[in-house]
């Protein structure tokens, strides 16, 4: 691939992952981290930036993306994992979050108070427009996205640069959390889950593959190399944006008059935009975020409807689009904070399994693996993550669960993954189990 093509795909990847809804998380990470800023933001960037781009590059190892690659692990597992992922980045969490983020940043600043009726009316209008765009997949949403992403990035850049100059007169905030060893890193790491980008990569990989093929490139090795280079460009841009927003949250003295009935991240962005550009900053940010969330929601509804229609062709694409839009509408009216709080335990279970699958596929590209080297670690990772979830949600009080290595950092699944992989690989070799490879020739 020529560098011009690599840069084009890199910016496309950046646009895909730089959703307006993700803007609300970095300032809060910086604000809560206080004196533990660097471990917190490193943890956040690992899951919010690193894992999504690794996931995208790994997906390019198969010409059919993860839909084809996961089938080679197990066809049933492939369907179950992809169904869960599409529902998570679609109607259950990500799409409702776009509506509530649009409300809190694009509508609420101009209201006298935050009411359920205002959210209801906003979500009716928002999802009517979402459904219209999803049912009419022409160039409208793409054109808006192509123009809007640079505007959104430019707006954030202006706010960041302006506030950095303002921040020189402020002292760094003191941490309101007493993070223990690894606590700040674990906090940032798990907050990065909330972007949902790492699991979205499993759904987005095929879009990148098709985009590169559309440039006239058909060699799988070149597609993979181009995806890796484009991923590095997108990772750099995302890291700069998230890091800057987190730094601002960490260094700017936030007003004590922030509304208590609003999501902290959304309130902080409004406050910072006002500090930087006055009322014009609030209006500009609100309008850009409102349209950005609309294009994101219509794209996700369309992607989910397309996937489920491929599974169940007797049910039309339009029917799925309507069903998923209605589900999103109902869940959006819980409010932004409720959606985020509800997603945390679900994501803490999905992420380890999804990321383990990605890493195992990546390894198998260079080392053909017996199927038990896939199956055993994935089963063990799921069990470990489930036990950790049950303990942290106080459903069980078995103290032995906390004895797992890296439990305090919420990374107890990593040693389990390594051990399960090594045992599975050795057992597979001993019984001469046929191997599976996801090399670039596939």
């Amino acid at each position: 691939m020529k560098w011009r093509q690599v840069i084009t795909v890199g910016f496309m990847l950046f646009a895909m992952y730089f959703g307006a809804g993700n803007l609300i998380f970095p300032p809060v990470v910086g604000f809560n981290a206080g004196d533990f800023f660097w471990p917190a933001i490193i943890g956040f960037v690992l899951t919010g930036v690193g894992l999504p781009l690794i996931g995208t590059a790994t997906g390019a190892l198969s010409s059919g993306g993860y839909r084809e690659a996961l089938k080679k692990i197990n066809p049933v597992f492939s369907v179950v994992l992809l169904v869960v992922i599409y529902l998570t980045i679609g109607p259950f969490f990500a799409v409702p979050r776009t509506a509530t983020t649009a409300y809190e940043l694009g509508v609420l600043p101009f209201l006298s108070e935050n009411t359920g009726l205002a959210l209801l009316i906003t979500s009716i209008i928002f999802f009517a427009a979402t459904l219209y765009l999803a049912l009419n997949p022409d160039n409208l949403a793409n054109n808006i996205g192509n123009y809007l992403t640079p505007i959104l990035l430019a707006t954030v850049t202006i706010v960041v640069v302006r506030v950095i100059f303002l921040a020189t007169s402020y002292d760094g905030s003191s941490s309101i959390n007493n993070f223990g060893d690894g606590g700040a890193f674990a906090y940032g790491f798990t907050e990065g889950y909330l972007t949902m980008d790492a699991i979205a990569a499993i759904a987005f990989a095929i879009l990148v593959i098709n985009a590169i093929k559309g440039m006239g490139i058909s060699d799988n090795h070149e597609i993979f190399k181009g995806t890796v280079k484009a991923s590095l460009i997108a990772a750099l841009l995302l890291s700069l944006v998230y890091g800057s927003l987190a730094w601002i949250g960490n260094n700017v003295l936030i007003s004590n008059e922030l509304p208590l009935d609003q999501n902290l991240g959304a309130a902080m962005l409004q406050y910072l935009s006002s500090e930087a550009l006055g009322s014009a900053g609030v209006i500009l940010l609100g309008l850009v975020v409102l349209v950005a969330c609309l294009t994101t929601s219509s794209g996700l509804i369309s992607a989910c409807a397309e996937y489920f229609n491929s599974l169940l062709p007797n049910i039309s694409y339009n029917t799925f689009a309507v069903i998923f839009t209605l589900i999103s509408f109902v869940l959006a009216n819980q409010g932004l904070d409720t959606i985020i709080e509800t997603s945390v335990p679900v994501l803490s279970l999905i992420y380890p399994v999804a990321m383990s699958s990605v890493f195992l596929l990546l390894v198998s590209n260079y080392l053909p693996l017996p199927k038990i080297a896939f199956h055993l670690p994935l089963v063990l990772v799921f069990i470990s993550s489930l036990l950790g979830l049950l303990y942290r949600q106080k459903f069980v009080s078995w103290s032995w669960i906390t004895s797992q290595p890296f439990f305090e950092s919420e990374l107890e699944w990593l040693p389990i993954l390594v051990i399960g992989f090594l045992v599975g690989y050795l057992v597979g070799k001993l019984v001469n189990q046929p191997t599976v490879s996801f090399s670039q020739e596939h």
Side-chain angles (χ1 to χ4, degrees):
M1 287 179 66
K2 298 178 180 178
W3 270 108
R4 179 179 56 81
Q5 295 173 313
V6 171
I7 292 172
T8 298
V9 177
F11 273 85
M12 183 192 78
L13 267 175
F14 171 77
M16 288 166 60
Y17 289 118
F18 185 54
N22 291 349
L23 291 177
I24 63 178
F25 299 117
V28 178
V29 170
F31 178 73
N32 287 334
D35 297 332
F36 302 89
F37 173 77
W38 284 111
I41 193 59
I42 288 172
F44 182 84
V45 168
L46 278 176
T47 46
V49 178
L51 292 182
L53 279 308
I54 290 174
T56 303
T58 302
L61 293 172
S62 171
S63 60
Y66 285 100
R67 292 190 189 183
E68 293 301 320
L70 290 171
K71 287 180 182 178
K72 296 176 183 177
I73 297 178
N74 183 278
V76 175
F77 171 76
S78 172
V79 172
V80 171
L81 182 61
L82 288 174
V83 164
V84 170
I85 286 174
Y86 273 101
L87 291 177
T88 300
I89 66 171
F92 284 0
F93 297 112
V95 174
R97 194 177 75 190
T98 61
T100 50
T101 300
Y103 168 72
E104 296 218 4
L105 287 175
V107 177
L108 187 56
F110 310 102
L111 301 178
S112 58
E113 61 178 327
N114 185 5
T115 65
L117 180 60
L119 175 59
L120 176 64
I121 294 173
T122 301
S123 60
I124 289 174
I125 298 171
F126 182 90
F127 283 113
T130 293
L131 183 60
Y132 173 80
L133 292 174
L135 293 178
N136 297 275
D138 51 21
N139 292 325
L140 178 60
N142 287 332
N143 287 336
I144 294 174
N146 289 335
Y147 291 111
L148 191 71
T149 296
I151 295 174
L152 181 59
L153 181 58
T155 303
V156 172
T157 301
I158 292 171
V159 170
V160 166
V161 172
R162 174 63 178 153
V163 175
I164 283 175
F165 283 105
L166 294 175
T168 58
S169 62
Y170 297 137
D171 294 326
S173 59
S174 297
S175 176
I176 61 174
N177 295 293
N178 184 23
F179 290 119
D181 293 339
F185 176 81
Y187 165 71
F189 193 90
T190 53
E191 286 295 296
Y193 286 175
L194 298 176
T195 66
M196 302 190 198
D197 286 344
I199 56 176
I202 293 177
F204 288 163
I206 189 65
L207 301 179
V208 178
I209 294 170
N210 291 338
I212 294 176
K213 286 181 177 178
M215 297 175 174
I217 298 169
S218 57
D219 181 73
N220 285 343
H221 183 69
E222 283 299 311
I223 291 174
F224 176 70
K225 286 202 307 182
T227 303
V228 171
K229 293 176 182 177
S231 297
L232 291 174
I233 293 174
L236 176 62
L237 292 173
L238 287 169
S239 298
L240 288 173
V241 171
Y242 290 161
S244 299
L245 289 172
W247 186 89
I248 288 174
N250 186 256
N251 286 270
V252 173
L253 183 63
I254 303 297
S255 170
N256 292 326
E257 298 178 358
L258 291 180
L260 298 176
D261 59 348
Q262 188 178 2
N263 173 266
L264 178 60
M268 288 177 68
L269 283 174
Q270 286 175 210
Y271 174 78
L272 295 171
S273 299
S274 178
E275 286 286 292
L277 302 172
S279 58
V282 178
I283 294 172
L284 180 59
L285 181 67
L287 288 175
V288 171
V289 168
L290 186 64
V291 184
C293 287
L294 181 60
T295 56
T296 299
S297 66
S298 61
L300 290 174
I301 289 292
S302 179
C304 291
E306 184 275 328
Y307 176 69
F308 278 86
N309 175 243
S310 71
L311 289 180
L312 303 169
N314 290 333
I315 302 177
S316 70
Y317 166 91
N318 287 358
T319 300
F320 275 120
V322 171
I323 292 172
F324 291 148
T325 301
L326 290 174
I327 294 173
S328 301
F329 166 74
V330 172
L331 295 179
N333 280 275
Q334 299 176 100
L336 182 55
D337 282 334
T338 301
I339 293 171
I340 293 173
E341 290 169 6
T342 306
S343 69
V344 169
V346 177
L347 293 173
S348 68
L349 187 60
I350 296 173
Y351 256 77
V353 175
M355 290 303 95
S356 296
S357 301
V358 170
F359 291 140
L360 290 171
L361 289 174
L362 183 59
V363 170
S364 71
N365 180 65
Y366 304 99
L367 177 67
L369 303 178
K371 284 200 172 184
I372 191 173
F374 289 103
H375 299 165
L376 181 61
L378 289 174
V379 169
L380 293 178
V381 164
F382 175 77
I383 293 173
S384 174
S385 301
L386 180 59
L387 289 174
L389 171 63
L390 293 174
Y391 182 85
R392 292 185 179 99
Q393 296 296 314
K394 303 187 186 307
F395 288 110
V396 298
S397 57
W398 304 325
S399 58
W400 58 267
I401 294 177
T402 63
S403 63
Q404 297 180 87
F406 304 117
F407 184 84
E408 290 300 321
S409 300
E410 301 192 35
L411 293 172
E412 64 272 13
W413 57 274
L414 277 177
I416 298 294
L417 170 64
V418 174
I419 294 170
F421 166 74
L422 292 175
V423 172
Y425 184 79
L426 292 175
V427 170
K429 287 296 184 181
L430 287 173
V431 300
N432 292 321
Q433 189 179 62
T435 59
V436 177
S437 174
F438 296 90
S439 63
Q440 296 166 9
E441 287 76 27
H442 278 69

